[in-house]
């Protein structure tokens, strides 16, 4: 199994995500039966899903009043679940094909191979496996990524023959891809204040950032959302996502920097909540 050291200390990486949905029962069923996560906690109009039975990955909540989100607003582009290896990704692809669930595509990104789909509310989901990091190509601080057609036959040759039992325990939140309203403002916030490095750019429309030379822990784009202002409230989609810092000290240093720059920082138990320049809420944890 591939060691996923890019999602451990001393790196900063995404941990979990909370989504507002229109129908908690439908969404919970989807994330269990189609995606292959397991229920960790469930009560009323809330559900917490996990891959390993311990760590929350996706939280679902059905608010009292909720309307469908606008796909051109800032918020979630997709959440990305990273499975441990190609055999696991082949298992996912076979399961989705047998389930007859519509896919939005499959891509080879050079650094990874990915399958794309969306949940019943239109929230984007990527399920992917990484190629060995020693095979990634770096030049002048940028990692080479592309979007080419997934070689399905080659991937399926890695299927281990086992029947589907859900996502493997080693599945984690590999990255979060966000729609933002201003790419330059977002870059200043995420790299200048939160501690990420820019590692790949798609012109003036998309930016990929990471720590520890991962290909990306966060994607940022303005493809649909340029100049769209702040993320609206009481809509389906992203409520918040978490970033895990190596220590309380490092997290608190980032919180102090945010406060000094005029960002509203709210402390709640072991987390610090802040909104990025597009109004997207982030929970800073350690």
């Amino acid at each position: 199994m591939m060691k996923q050291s890019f999602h451990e200390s001393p790196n900063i990486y995404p941990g979990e995500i909370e989504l507002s949905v229109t129908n908690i029962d439908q969404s919970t069923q989807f994330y269990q039966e189609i995606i292959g996560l397991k229920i960790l906690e469930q009560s009323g109009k809330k559900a917490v899903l996990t891959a390993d039975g311990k760590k929350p990955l996706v939280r679902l909540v059905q608010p009292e009043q909720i309307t469908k989100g606008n796909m051109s607003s800032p918020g979630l582009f997709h959440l990305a679940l990273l499975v441990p290896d190609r055999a696991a990704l082949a298992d996912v692809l076979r399961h989705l094909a047998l389930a007859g669930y519509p896919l939005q595509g499959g891509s080879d990104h050079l650094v990874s191979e990915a399958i794309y789909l969306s949940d019943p509310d239109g929230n984007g989901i990527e399920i992917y496996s990484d190629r060995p990091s020693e095979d990634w190509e770096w030049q002048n601080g940028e990692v080479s990524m592309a979007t080419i057609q997934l070689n399905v036959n080659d991937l399926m040759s890695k299927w281990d023959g086992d029947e589907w039992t859900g996502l493997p325990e080693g599945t984690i939140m590999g990255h979060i891809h966000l729609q933002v309203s201003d790419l330059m403002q977002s870059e200043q916030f995420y790299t200048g204040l939160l501690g990420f490095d820019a590692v790949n750019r798609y012109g003036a429309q998309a930016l990929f950032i990471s720590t520890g030379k991962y290909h990306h822990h966060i994607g940022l784009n303005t493809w649909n959302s340029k100049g769209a202002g702040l993320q609206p409230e009481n809509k389906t989609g992203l409520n918040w996502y978490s970033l895990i810092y190596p220590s309380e000290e490092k997290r608190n240093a980032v919180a102090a920097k945010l406060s000094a720059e005029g960002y509203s920082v709210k402390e709640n138990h072991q987390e610090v909540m802040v909104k990025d320049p597009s109004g997207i809420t982030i929970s800073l944890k350690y």
Side-chain angles (χ1 to χ4, degrees), residues 107-125:
S107 296
D108 182 336
H109 295 301
L110 305 182
V111 294
S112 63
E113 293 172 288
I115 301 163
Y116 295 92
L117 66 160
S118 63
D119 76 4
D121 287 294
N123 295 303
I125 300 167

Side-chain angles (χ1 to χ4, degrees), residues 51-151:
D52 64 4
K54 294 176 270 191
K55 196 163 42 182
L57 285 181
V58 178
R59 295 176 181 268
L60 304 173
V61 57
Q62 181 187 330
E64 284 300 316
Q65 297 195 323
I66 186 82
T67 56
K68 199 81 168 171
N70 184 340
M71 293 300 178
S72 62
S73 297
L76 185 68
F77 189 65
H78 61 242
L79 62 93
L81 297 168
L82 173 61
V83 296
D85 49 39
R86 290 188 87 207
L89 189 65
D91 200 22
V92 170
L93 183 56
R94 179 177 180 273
H95 158 69
L96 292 171
L98 289 174
Y101 195 85
L103 300 182
Q104 294 173 332
S107 296
D108 182 336
H109 295 301
L110 305 182
V111 294
S112 63
E113 293 172 288
I115 301 163
Y116 295 92
L117 66 160
S118 63
D119 76 4
D121 287 294
N123 295 303
I125 300 167
E126 173 183 346
I127 303 175
Y128 74 110
S129 65
D130 278 334
R131 286 217 166 87
S133 56
E134 56 268 26
D135 295 339
W136 304 348
E137 291 188 12
W138 290 84
Q139 195 165 7
N140 301 321
E142 288 214 356
V143 64
S144 295
M145 293 198 288
T147 300
I148 54 183
Q149 189 171 346
L150 182 67
N151 187 333

Side-chain angles (χ1 to χ4, degrees), residues 15 44 56 94 98 125 162 168 182 201 216 222 227 253:
R94 179 177 180 273
L98 289 174
I125 300 167
D162 291 341
D182 186 308
R201 294 174 196 275
H216 65 297
T222 57

